[in-house]
Amino acid sequence: MFKLLPLIAAMSFATSITSASAGSVAAPYEIATWRGFRAAAVSYTFDDDLANQYAKAVPMFDAKGFKLTLFTVTKWLPGGDWTPVQNAAAHGHEIASHTVTHPHLGAETAEQVSNELANSRIAIESNVPGQKGLTLAYPYCEPPVDFSIVSSNYIAARGCSGRLVPANPPDFLNISSFVCGSLGLSGEQMNSRADAADAANAWCVYLIHAIDDDKGYSPIPSAELQATLDHMSASPEKFWVETFGNVVRYIRERNAASVTETFATDSRIVVSLTDDLDNSIYNYPVTLRRPLPVGWTSASVTQNGKPVAARVIPMSAVDVVTFDAIPNGGEIVILKGARSIAPR
Ligand SMILES: [Zn+2]
């Protein structure tokens, strides 16, 4: 079942945010805590460029249509070969930074930290087409002393304190994750953490290193990893499996979004979805919904003249239309009936 957050819950989110960029969602619209109004977000992150991450995990995720995050140590790529990384990126996976040389950042000088963080991001941006290098994973889960060097290079960073992340993370520069494998969670324990995220409307981030016979930290058998993917795909209404960076983008956009209805007739509604974030980074779709107006039995939705993912979901009292749209991505039009609109 899709969970219906009462409007009052959405409003309490908005008022709990003190940032100047907090948006507002006008009734009767609601914005999803997680994309598609799913109950939980789940991110699989992989550190240290171990061979089976590319040879086994990427094809496994591709078969499910799930996206993962590869935290790359840019100097550790075997033979300096970016080809496997580029191939993974071409399949929609996130390539993010695990620094240049994997140091203990807490023991480095500010200049060393600055070089590790900036140069790994630049290496990703220049070697992987389309990747911005938006996020960072701290080697040994150790942040640097000065977090401002992190925030000047990345929108978020991953630690590993072994907790679920609430829907509004307390600290984007130290997002918690669970170490998995022989020194952490088994596949079964991974599934139970995801179930706990479902119950708490939280975000579950996994940290994985070696798979099977990789010569690396805390190996997990590929069969156990596969079993967790089967657990997620068995409940697509519960689990939103998405990259670390895309979940961060979604949270920031959801919290900064302003939604208003600007025009309505009995067959056509125009909606504005805006925010004050940087459009070159924050262009990921968020999910909105509203009740179908009286007398409507179906609807189609466009943004900027192009059809967007939309569906009508029967609810006990009144059907709702749910759709994805990009903040600052142009005018949204909801049309009575299922007639599709040709792209312009
Ligand atoms: Zn590492």
Side-chain angles (χ1 to χ4, degrees):
M1 279 301 295
F2 286 82
K3 290 193 181 174
L4 250 185
L5 274 186
L7 198 61
I8 193 80
M11 289 170 70
S12 69
F13 278 147
T15 51
S16 68
I17 295 149
T18 52
S19 149
S21 67
S24 64
V25 178
Y29 293 86
E30 291 175 84
I31 193 162
T33 301
W34 304 119
R35 190 167 179 188
F37 285 91
R38 294 180 183 88
V42 178
S43 296
Y44 287 78
T45 68
F46 295 81
D47 288 15
D48 299 356
D49 307 291
L50 294 158
N52 284 338
Q53 296 172 3
Y54 298 96
K56 295 188 177 180
V58 167
M60 202 183 280
F61 278 67
D62 286 346
K64 292 282 189 190
F66 290 155
K67 307 304 176 196
L68 53 78
T69 296
L70 293 156
F71 282 113
T72 294
V73 182
T74 56
K75 272 278 169 63
W76 282 6
L77 291 173
D81 181 12
W82 285 83
T83 309
V85 183
Q86 290 161 345
N87 288 341
H91 286 219
H93 303 293
E94 179 185 19
I95 310 304
S97 170
H98 198 32
T99 73
V100 177
T101 68
H102 207 279
H104 289 270
L105 290 173
E108 301 264 284
T109 66
E111 187 185 359
Q112 288 171 319
V113 172
S114 193
N115 287 336
E116 288 281 347
L117 270 47
N119 292 340
S120 54
R121 177 176 54 73
I122 291 163
I124 290 167
E125 288 170 355
S126 53
N127 285 287
V128 190
Q131 289 287 313
K132 283 182 176 292
L134 291 177
T135 66
L136 169 73
Y138 301 122
Y140 314 103
C141 300
E142 270 182 43
V145 175
D146 182 358
F147 280 92
S148 73
I149 307 173
V150 184
S151 58
S152 63
N153 284 281
Y154 299 98
I155 64 171
R158 197 212 63 211
C160 55
S161 52
R163 287 191 293 266
L164 293 175
V165 183
N168 286 307
D171 185 0
F172 281 99
L173 300 184
N174 207 349
I175 298 281
S176 181
S177 67
F178 296 101
V179 172
C180 302
S182 61
L183 299 174
L185 303 185
S186 67
E188 252 178 50
Q189 290 170 323
M190 289 169 70
N191 288 346
S192 72
R193 293 306 188 284
D195 293 343
D198 167 39
N201 290 139
W203 180 19
C204 180
V205 182
Y206 301 126
L207 165 50
I208 299 165
H209 290 83
I211 300 166
D212 293 337
D213 55 354
D214 271 337
K215 303 281 181 288
Y217 183 77
S218 192
I220 184 170
S222 53
E224 283 189 32
L225 181 60
Q226 179 68 58
T228 71
L229 297 187
D230 295 342
H231 184 71
M232 305 306 159
S233 65
S235 299
E237 77 290 356
K238 286 184 184 174
F239 301 118
W240 175 44
V241 180
E242 186 44 288
T243 67
F244 185 79
N246 283 347
V247 174
V248 170
R249 293 200 293 167
Y250 188 97
I251 295 169
R252 286 254 169 83
E253 291 177 14
R254 172 240 286 162
N255 289 342
S258 288
V259 179
T260 53
E261 193 168 288
T262 56
F263 179 82
T265 67
D266 60 5
S267 62
R268 183 171 183 269
I269 295 168
V270 180
V271 185
S272 157
L273 166 64
T274 59
D275 65 28
D276 60 1
L277 301 174
D278 177 350
N279 291 335
S280 71
I281 294 173
Y282 293 99
N283 51 20
Y284 188 85
V286 296
T287 308
L288 300 173
R289 71 181 170 200
R290 61 154 291 149
L292 273 189
V294 174
W296 293 35
T297 54
S298 60
S300 62
V301 183
T302 64
Q303 184 174 29
N304 205 24
K306 299 187 179 73
V308 300
R311 57 185 178 155
V312 172
I313 299 172
M315 294 284 184
S316 53
V318 59
D319 295 350
V320 300
V321 56
T322 297
F323 55 95
D324 284 348
I326 297 171
N328 301 333
E331 189 176 77
I332 299 160
V333 177
I334 308 173
L335 275 180
K336 185 177 182 177
R339 186 168 57 99
S340 63
I341 305 302
R344 270 186 276 193

